[in-house]
Every structure is written in C-alpha cells, then in structure tokens.
Amino acid sequence: MDELTSITADDLATSHESFSAERVNSVAKNAVTANGIRAAARRPEGVAGNALGFDIEVTQGERCDQERSGRCWMFASLNTMRYRVIKKYNLKTFELSQAYPLFWDKLEKSNWFFENILDTLDEPLDGRLVSFLLTDPIGDGGQWDMFRSLVKKYGVVPKEAMPETACSRNTGDMDRYLTRYLRGAAKRLRQSHVAGVGMDDLRSMKKEMMDEVYHLLAICLGEPPASFPVRLRDKDDKLALVGTFTPKEFFSTAVDMDVDAYISLISAPTADKPFGHTYTVSRLGNVFEDHGVRYLNLPPAELKRVAIAQLKDNLPVWFGCDVAQSYLRDEGMMDTAALDVDALFGFPVEGNMDKAERLDYGESLMTHAMVLEGVRLDAEGNPELWKVENSWGKDHGRNGFDTLSDAWFDEYVYQVVVDKKYLSEDERRTYETEEPTVLAPWDPMGSLA
C-alpha cells in the first residue's frame, strides 16, 4: 500500500530516466531556467498575429496609471466616462479623479460589511458564510454595477479636484488597517449580540463605527470636495467649460451619461448558469440602498456583437477578464497562440480544461477590468484582434495599450458593459423582467476586477 500512496525511490528513478531520455526536456530545462516559462514558451508566429491596424478605433486621451492599487474597475469605468468629456469639449486629454470614488467605495463597502455582519449574527463564526465575509471586506476590486451606484449617489470630479495621495497610489496599508478595524468592529457587534444587546442599539454602535471609518479614510485620502471650480480648455486653448460645480452637477453637465442604460453581460458556460438567463450574487455590492449586481449570461459571440455595435457608435466598452492567462505583459499581448506552454512541458498544462471547467475548478475568474477601444475585422465582419486601453501607465505594453486576440476573448473575457439598446428585444426583456438566479457569494462570477 505504501508504494501506491508514497513517492518511492523507484518512482524517482523512473521519472529521472524518462526525463533524461528525451533531448527536448534538456532543451526546455535550459531555456526555462535561464529565461522563465513565458519567455521560453513564446511563439513568434503567434506574436506576429498581433500586428496593429484596426477598422474601428476610439481615440482616447493620455494613458492612466492605477499604480499599486486594485482600482482597475474604477479606472475602466472612469475611462469610458472621461472619453465623453474629451469628445464633448474637444479636449486634448482629460482625467477624472480616481481617489474620489475610492473614498466613497471604501466607506460604502464598510457599511455593506456591517449590514452583512448584523444580518448573520446567529451564523457560526467558523461557518463558510461568516468566514467569507471576514476574508476581504473592503478590497479594492469591484463591478460595473457597483461603480454605477457610486456615481448615481456621489457624482464624479476632475482629477485636480481630488488628486492622488500616497494611500490611493498604494492602497496596501490603508486596506490592511481598515480591514483590521472592521474585523474588530464585527467582533464587538457579535459579542454584544450574544450579551443581549438589541438591534436598535447595535445599529447605533454601527453608526459610531462608520464615523470612525470616515475619519480613517479622510486621513488617508483627504475629504472629498463638496464643490469645486472648473476651467477646461480645448485643443485650441479656448475655454470650453468654466464654473463651480458639485460632483453630481459636474457628472450631469460634463459626462452626461445615462448610467442606468448600461448593463453587465457575462459569459460563463458552466452547467449551473444556462445562457439566456439573469443572475445576481448574494451579498455582493457596496451602496446598500442600491442593492447588488445583475447579469445576463450570453455566449461570447453575443458579447462581441454588442461590443462591436457600441464601438461603431464611437463609444468605448468596459470589460472584465482573466488578464494573466496567455499574456505577454511586456509586449502587451493577450493571445492563446502567443504562448505554447503545453509544447514546452510536453503534456497538457494549459490545455487540460475548457472554459467551464476552469471556472468550476478554480483555475480562472475575472481578475482585471479594462476598456475595449478598437477592433480589427475580417472580410466577413468578424473580429480578429481587439485594441485595449489598460490602466498601467503609458510605459506599459504598446504606449499604454494592449491587444487581445479573438480566440483569447472566447476563453478569458467574462464580462462586457454596454448600453442595453444594443441587445435584441428578447435579451433586453429577459434582463429587465426575469427574476435573477441568486449565486453563492463565492461563485466565480462574484469575483471583483
């Protein structure tokens, strides 16, 4: 029995002999130990397929940089919005403050966390649900629906009205100390409940805790402005917009976007999520009174169809993906043909699961949000290559943007956000009227970009 359950000397000898018998293993070993897996697996033929040239392209401003933070979903959302300002006022470039929604998101997520703690007071502390709630209560990530909630409640401001701070550029310490505070506060709420404190008094405690959260965030990020002056000059240096605005007034005037018209489409081909139906994720959100998230699950071809339709109307498209897969980061290329890891190792590593199996077995989920700003089409109008606005600065990839192949889209793009007018009548009716299936809090479609 030990020979079947333990690694034996004979097992090691067999592995050594089989490895040494093939010359290709020695070549692969030398290449990988000197250069790393991705560099050794890089396929020049696949890289060549990412040559630039797009049939539809949205011209953005200068590239933004989220630095050492997980705010990609905010950057992607703001990049779709700043484009409208650039276009409306004929600006050379423009940037909305990313520190401003960060403040409100942390505050709202803290309140959301406390409400979930109050709702689970009788759940066991070591049970899966409470353990999940305590794991990462105010992480930097988020979903489009959550950003929409922030904008509707708080508006937006130009970057100079609330500039970056040390804690917005690198959120690690702020997140760490706020998380520690929230866990300690959750302990106090649960212990008070056990001691017989009523819900009204617990909510009074929560209000005091939220005041302390506000203080912590204000120390780290500064206080958000209630109003601010604006002077925007166009490409010809003429004043295009001048005045004093509140954040909601500025959003209404400068961005002028019906955020409620923009909805999330996902593509998750797992057995528990049939295409053509709507879904939500239990306990996922930030602004408590605006509820949570809502998705319509469709095949990848439908996500591409609506994304192309929106690009043709000269509007960029927010999307979420598993960015690290088949990715040449320095070259800014996401392409399943650009790397051949399986040939390098001599057996299936990347090719041992399909998209649904990767979701089911925890190998893949949405990790990053960016913006589609262009696409190249073949003679029949089908997409071949997509141009992507990232948020890793102008020195990343190709002057700050990436490309992704259409095959990569099929495998690793999980979400797009588009105006619902691009949906078919049946798709729109389903999204608006069907009661969504509630997914578990830990479902992969609940991952935050």
Side-chain angles (χ1 to χ4, degrees):
M1 181 61 68
D2 287 346
E3 291 185 358
L4 296 178
T5 59
S6 302
I7 300 173
T8 68
D10 287 344
D11 293 332
L12 296 176
T14 298
S15 294
H16 170 71
E17 290 172 8
S18 64
F19 184 83
S20 303
E22 296 289 339
R23 174 179 173 274
V24 68
N25 290 330
S26 179
V27 174
K29 177 186 67 175
N30 294 342
V32 171
T33 54
N35 302 290
I37 294 172
R38 289 180 194 247
R42 181 183 181 275
R43 291 184 66 250
E45 299 87 353
V47 170
N50 288 264
L52 302 183
F54 301 94
D55 298 296
I56 306 168
E57 193 169 359
V58 175
T59 303
Q60 288 277 53
E62 295 175 2
R63 304 301 176 183
C64 303
D65 192 350
Q66 68 186 76
E67 301 189 59
R68 297 181 66 184
S69 72
R71 296 175 290 165
C72 60
W73 63 295
M74 291 184 175
F75 275 75
S77 301
L78 292 170
N79 284 341
T80 65
M81 293 176 182
R82 74 170 180 142
Y83 173 75
R84 294 169 177 266
V85 183
I86 292 171
K87 183 179 178 182
K88 182 174 184 178
Y89 298 107
N90 193 31
L91 307 178
K92 181 179 180 181
T93 191
F94 178 75
E95 205 167 335
L96 290 161
S97 170
Q98 301 93 2
Y100 179 78
L102 179 66
F103 182 99
W104 296 121
D105 181 58
K106 297 297 184 188
L107 191 71
E108 292 286 354
K109 277 179 179 169
S110 297
N111 183 65
W112 183 278
F113 170 73
F114 285 140
E115 287 299 319
N116 275 298
I117 291 299
L118 292 174
D119 190 51
T120 56
L121 291 172
D122 294 319
E123 293 283 337
L125 182 61
D126 60 354
R128 186 173 188 182
L129 178 56
V130 176
S131 295
F132 177 84
L133 295 175
L134 292 170
T135 297
D136 188 18
I138 46 86
D140 286 354
Q143 285 275 354
W144 160 256
D145 287 7
M146 296 161 66
F147 195 83
R148 178 179 60 200
S149 297
L150 293 174
V151 168
K152 288 170 64 177
K153 187 169 182 177
Y154 297 107
V156 298
V157 306
K159 189 159 190 172
E160 55 269 23
M162 189 168 177
E164 295 285 272
T165 72
C167 289
S168 66
R169 294 189 188 97
N170 184 348
T171 55
D173 274 351
M174 178 180 70
D175 286 354
R176 190 172 298 110
Y177 286 114
L178 179 54
T179 297
R180 181 164 181 162
Y181 173 82
L182 293 177
R183 288 171 177 156
K187 178 207 69 171
R188 289 163 51 201
L189 290 171
R190 287 179 63 90
Q191 289 179 343
S192 297
H193 171 66
V194 171
V197 176
M199 185 58 71
D200 287 345
D201 289 333
L202 291 175
R203 290 198 181 280
S204 295
M205 290 174 60
K206 190 203 82 167
K207 287 291 185 182
E208 295 176 2
M209 293 168 179
M210 286 301 302
D211 181 61
E212 292 175 337
V213 170
Y214 184 98
H215 281 74
L216 187 154
L217 293 172
I219 289 170
C220 293
L221 301 172
E223 288 193 86
S227 63
F228 48 89
V230 173
R231 291 178 66 86
L232 297 182
R233 292 188 175 274
D234 64 17
K235 293 177 180 177
D236 300 319
D237 202 34
K238 295 179 181 178
L239 273 176
L241 180 65
V242 61
T244 299
F245 299 85
T246 67
K248 295 180 75 170
E249 288 171 344
F250 185 75
F251 178 79
S252 176
T253 300
V255 179
D256 190 22
M257 177 182 181
D258 180 8
V259 291
D260 284 329
Y262 285 79
I263 65 171
S264 292
L265 307 179
I266 61 170
S267 191
T270 50
D272 64 330
K273 302 179 192 70
F275 288 136
H277 295 283
T278 59
Y279 301 89
T280 187
V281 181
S282 176
R283 302 185 185 277
L284 176 61
N286 54 358
V287 179
F288 191 79
E289 64 271 22
D290 207 26
H291 310 295
V293 301
R294 187 184 185 91
Y295 309 135
L296 175 61
N297 193 22
L298 296 173
E302 301 308 307
L303 270 63
K304 298 174 192 177
R305 173 180 60 81
V306 295
I308 292 171
Q310 187 161 302
L311 286 170
K312 285 182 175 178
D313 282 346
N314 204 30
L315 289 171
V317 178
W318 190 108
F319 79 102
C321 65
D322 189 356
V323 70
Q325 304 277 5
S326 297
Y327 186 28
L328 293 172
R329 177 165 177 158
D330 291 341
E331 296 174 87
M333 296 178 186
M334 290 163 270
D335 191 342
T336 55
L339 293 170
D340 195 347
V341 173
D342 291 356
L344 180 68
F345 288 113
F347 51 87
V349 176
E350 286 197 325
N352 64 357
M353 289 182 283
D354 62 24
K355 187 174 185 177
E357 291 164 342
R358 289 193 295 269
L359 288 170
D360 284 337
Y361 283 85
E363 165 54 27
S364 186
L365 43 68
M366 189 171 72
T367 60
H368 192 49
M370 297 177 282
V371 174
L372 296 172
E373 63 172 18
V375 62
R376 184 170 73 220
L377 307 173
D378 65 16
E380 286 74 42
N382 299 310
E384 293 181 329
L385 188 71
W386 301 80
K387 185 182 179 186
V388 174
E389 180 182 20
N390 208 332
S391 52
W392 293 343
K394 64 181 179 62
D395 296 327
H396 162 75
R398 312 185 198 191
N399 194 32
F401 74 89
D402 294 319
T403 56
L404 67 86
S405 70
D406 196 58
W408 195 94
F409 192 117
D410 287 333
E411 297 297 327
Y412 299 114
V413 170
Y414 291 111
Q415 185 176 3
V416 300
V417 173
V418 295
D419 192 318
K420 60 186 175 183
K421 70 181 182 181
Y422 299 112
L423 273 60
S424 70
E425 185 176 339
D426 286 344
E427 291 167 345
R428 190 160 54 249
R429 185 186 307 111
T430 298
Y431 178 84
E432 293 175 342
T433 64
E434 184 178 85
E435 185 68 25
T437 298
V438 180
L439 304 175
W442 38 83
D443 189 274
M445 290 300 103
S447 64
L448 300 180

